[in-house]
Amino acid sequence: MSTSPSGSTLGKATAVMKSLNFYLSDHPAIVTFRWSHDLCWGSTWSFLFSSIASYVVVSIFLHLTLAFLLRRGRPVPLGPIPALHSLSMSVISATIFAGLLVSAAAEIKETRWLWRRYKTPLQWLLCFPLGTRPSGRVFFWSYVFYLSRFLHMLRTVLVVLRRRKLVFFQLFYHAISTFMSFLWLEFSQSFQVLAILFTTLAFSVMYGYRFWTSVAARGACLPLVLNCQIALLGCNLVCHVAVLLLHFLTGGCNGIGAWVFNSVLNGAILLLFLNFYVRMYLARRRKRKGVVIDHRCENDNNIARSSVLGAGKEPHSNKVKSN
């Protein structure tokens, strides 16, 4: 008995979806994951502080060394490395987003009977029940996100090599983001599911765009990247307010102490980012005004030149006519 092409295509699509669902949420390594200082790489406080300190020291040392050895403004040729880094970050972020989204849906379906009397799925995403332990699907992808932060740090090194400029905000942001992702796992902090979903979605778009501009040999549109980051920080701010309300209205959220510290760090990042954004906007506006003024001056000079030339030619033309 022969099957129709549409039926075979649908069967293949279903098989692919089942396979993806297995590797994203039902794999034994994902289901049985447990955050432990003995089992997980990079899960100790000493590793966290030493890695962040090494990142800061290496970035500053590289910046000072290049400033001393090379002529100012001369970039270091890196070839396809920045493009490959952007591509890898985009793919990893998209994978974490898809895996966490599927895993969160599976966790809600399997554990809803425990908390459905006093929480909705959205409230569970914002506010973990008290006593939640860092194990299972959701925390596996949180751990993968934590590990991806170290690959994200590499961008600072690439920026220093290419642009010969070390930005304090970028250094601070990468270090604090790595520290916060560690706190999410260590204290089973609430709100981390939505935070990771928002962040990975924004990163997949931003780094995918950076990869495309690198391949297309054209400069990236900085406002697009900045607007994505502003939207990300804005969503995080709204969710932080929701977590605070749920903590007092639903009897408490797990990891609220780490959440308070996380909120302070997010507030500092938001203020620094808004300061950077406003300064960049004002600089671009002044530059545009300068271009307009230059064009006006150029037009005035052209008019002045034409009037002078006209005044010089007029007597000559009169002489010709008189002759």
Side-chain angles (χ1 to χ4, degrees):
M1 182 177 180
S2 60
T3 58
S4 62
S6 59
S8 61
T9 303
L10 182 61
K12 291 180 180 179
T14 303
V16 170
M17 292 299 296
K18 288 183 178 179
S19 178
L20 288 176
N21 186 73
F22 173 77
Y23 286 107
L24 291 176
S25 66
D26 293 334
H27 193 277
I30 299 176
V31 177
T32 61
F33 172 80
R34 182 170 62 90
W35 171 258
S36 172
H37 293 177
D38 299 327
L39 301 176
C40 299
W41 181 83
S43 59
T44 61
W45 287 94
S46 59
F47 176 86
L48 175 68
F49 287 118
S50 61
S51 60
I52 292 178
S54 300
Y55 161 70
V56 174
V57 171
V58 168
S59 300
I60 296 176
F61 175 77
L62 183 62
H63 173 69
L64 296 177
T65 302
L66 292 177
F68 178 76
L69 295 178
L70 298 180
R71 187 175 59 186
R72 185 177 181 181
R74 182 180 179 183
V76 177
L78 298 175
I81 295 178
L84 293 176
H85 177 262
S86 297
L87 177 62
S88 62
M89 285 302 304
S90 179
V91 173
I92 291 173
S93 298
T95 303
I96 295 174
F97 175 82
L100 184 59
L101 188 64
V102 176
S103 297
E107 287 287 337
I108 290 174
K109 183 179 180 181
E110 293 180 2
T111 63
R112 191 175 182 180
W113 62 275
L114 292 172
W115 42 264
R116 63 181 178 182
R117 293 182 179 179
Y118 54 92
K119 283 184 183 293
T120 63
L122 179 59
Q123 291 176 344
W124 180 84
L125 292 173
L126 289 168
C127 179
F128 285 155
L130 295 176
T132 301
R133 295 184 178 181
S135 61
R137 300 179 178 92
V138 168
F139 290 97
F140 170 83
W141 289 110
S142 181
Y143 176 61
V144 176
F145 178 79
Y146 164 67
L147 295 180
S148 70
R149 303 306 304 174
F150 295 100
L151 181 60
H152 200 182
M153 287 180 176
L154 183 60
R155 175 163 176 79
T156 303
V157 177
L158 298 178
V159 170
V160 171
L161 292 174
R162 290 183 65 183
R163 302 179 184 175
R164 301 289 308 282
K165 185 178 181 180
L166 180 62
V167 181
F168 169 76
F169 170 76
Q170 190 177 46
L171 195 68
F172 179 80
Y173 175 75
H174 290 328
I176 293 303
S177 298
T178 305
F179 185 74
M180 288 191 300
S181 60
F182 179 88
L183 294 181
W184 293 348
L185 289 162
E186 185 69 15
F187 297 100
S188 303
Q189 183 186 313
S190 299
F191 167 61
Q192 62 177 284
V193 176
L194 290 180
I196 296 174
L197 287 176
F198 292 151
T199 303
T200 51
L201 179 61
F203 282 176
S204 61
V205 174
M206 289 163 48
Y207 280 100
Y209 178 73
R210 282 170 175 161
F211 170 73
W212 178 75
T213 54
S214 299
V215 174
R218 54 177 293 183
C221 182
L222 188 60
L224 175 65
V225 177
L226 290 176
N227 290 334
C228 287
Q229 293 177 339
I230 285 289
L232 174 62
L233 292 174
C235 291
N236 287 339
L237 180 62
V238 172
C239 291
H240 274 290
V241 175
V243 171
L244 183 62
L245 294 176
L246 289 174
H247 176 69
F248 290 106
L249 295 177
T250 61
C253 299
N254 198 71
I256 196 64
W259 173 86
V260 172
F261 187 68
N262 192 356
S263 300
V264 174
L265 295 178
N266 271 329
I269 291 176
L270 181 60
L271 291 177
L272 288 174
F273 196 86
L274 289 176
N275 181 38
F276 174 76
Y277 186 84
V278 170
R279 288 170 57 188
M280 187 208 68
Y281 175 77
L282 293 177
R284 288 171 62 88
R285 190 173 180 181
R286 290 172 185 170
K287 186 177 180 180
R288 289 177 181 176
K289 285 185 177 180
V291 172
V292 173
I293 292 174
D294 290 342
H295 283 308
R296 289 178 179 175
C297 292
E298 186 177 355
N299 292 333
D300 293 340
N301 291 334
N302 291 334
I303 294 173
R305 290 194 194 99
S306 62
S307 61
V308 170
L309 291 176
K313 289 180 180 178
E314 188 176 357
H316 180 70
S317 61
N318 291 334
K319 287 181 181 180
V320 174
K321 289 180 181 179
S322 62
N323 291 334

